[in-house]
């Protein structure tokens, strides 16, 4: 992957894990690492967490850095207006919008945030570095 940044510069990047459990973080990270997942979203009430061009460190379920991603695009979209194309880029399940809606509704309900018209930050990203697997 790209090595166009100083090897120690990444330590200052914000870190995050996908999902809300270690198991979900690992499952979604594996989709990123194999190139299937190039998008993600979160509830707008959680704030704008990135911007185009920003790089972030993706951690696994144990908090270990596994990749660096760069935000390509970011838009606010109501839940019920998420497109089939975006759902496919999220890389989950059968890649369909119906699967995306079912699983994201379940996720946001678990967080107590779900509404058919809730606003989401929808981010597309690219992987710019993968850290060597440890162990």
């Amino acid at each position: 992957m790209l090595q166009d940044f100083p090897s120690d510069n990444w330590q200052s990047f914000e870190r995050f894990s996908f999902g809300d459990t270690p198991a979900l973080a690992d499952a979604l990270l594996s989709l990123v690492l194999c190139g299937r997942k190039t998008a993600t979203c979160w509830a707008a009430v959680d704030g704008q967490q990135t911007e185009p061009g920003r790089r972030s460190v993706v951690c696994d379920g144990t908090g270990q850095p596994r990749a660096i991603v760069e935000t390509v695009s970011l838009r606010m979209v109501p839940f019920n207006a998420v497109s089939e194309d975006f759902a496919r880029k999220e890389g989950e399940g059968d890649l369909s919008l119906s699967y995306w809606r079912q699983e994201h509704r379940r996720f946001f309900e678990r967080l107590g945030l779900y509404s058919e018209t809730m606003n989401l930050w929808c981010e597309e990203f690219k992987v710019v570095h993968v850290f060597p697997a440890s162990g």
Side-chain angles (χ1 to χ4, degrees):
M1 293 266 135
L2 299 179
Q3 295 287 338
D4 62 347
F5 51 91
S7 59
D8 59 349
N9 187 37
W10 68 269
Q11 303 252 2
S12 66
F13 296 166
E14 289 188 35
R15 296 178 182 211
F16 75 97
S17 298
F18 292 104
D20 63 341
T21 66
L24 186 55
D26 287 343
L28 296 175
L29 173 64
S30 70
L31 295 175
V32 170
L33 295 177
C34 77
R36 184 170 161 157
K37 181 174 183 63
T38 60
T40 193
C41 69
W42 61 91
V45 297
D46 290 335
Q48 181 179 336
Q49 299 173 9
T50 189
E51 60 190 9
R54 181 178 291 172
R55 291 182 172 179
S56 304
V57 176
V58 183
C59 297
D60 64 18
T62 66
Q64 292 300 305
R66 295 296 312 279
I68 296 173
V69 296
E70 182 178 311
T71 302
V72 173
S73 69
L74 183 67
R75 335 183 273 131
M76 191 179 296
V77 180
F79 183 94
N80 61 5
V82 167
S83 69
E84 185 86 40
D85 182 57
F86 186 82
R88 185 173 39 261
K89 290 176 181 177
E90 281 248 21
E92 300 169 36
D94 66 3
L95 306 180
S96 71
L97 181 57
S98 61
Y99 181 89
W100 183 94
R101 284 185 175 153
Q102 171 190 320
E103 292 305 308
H104 283 77
R105 177 180 181 151
R106 185 176 304 166
F107 175 78
F108 290 120
E109 282 178 341
R110 187 166 69 236
L111 298 177
L113 298 173
Y114 177 74
S115 156
E116 189 72 16
T117 57
M118 69 184 287
N119 283 323
L120 303 175
W121 283 110
C122 294
E123 174 192 11
E124 293 184 39
F125 58 83
K126 64 182 178 181
V127 175
V128 297
H129 180 75
V130 175
F131 292 99
S134 59

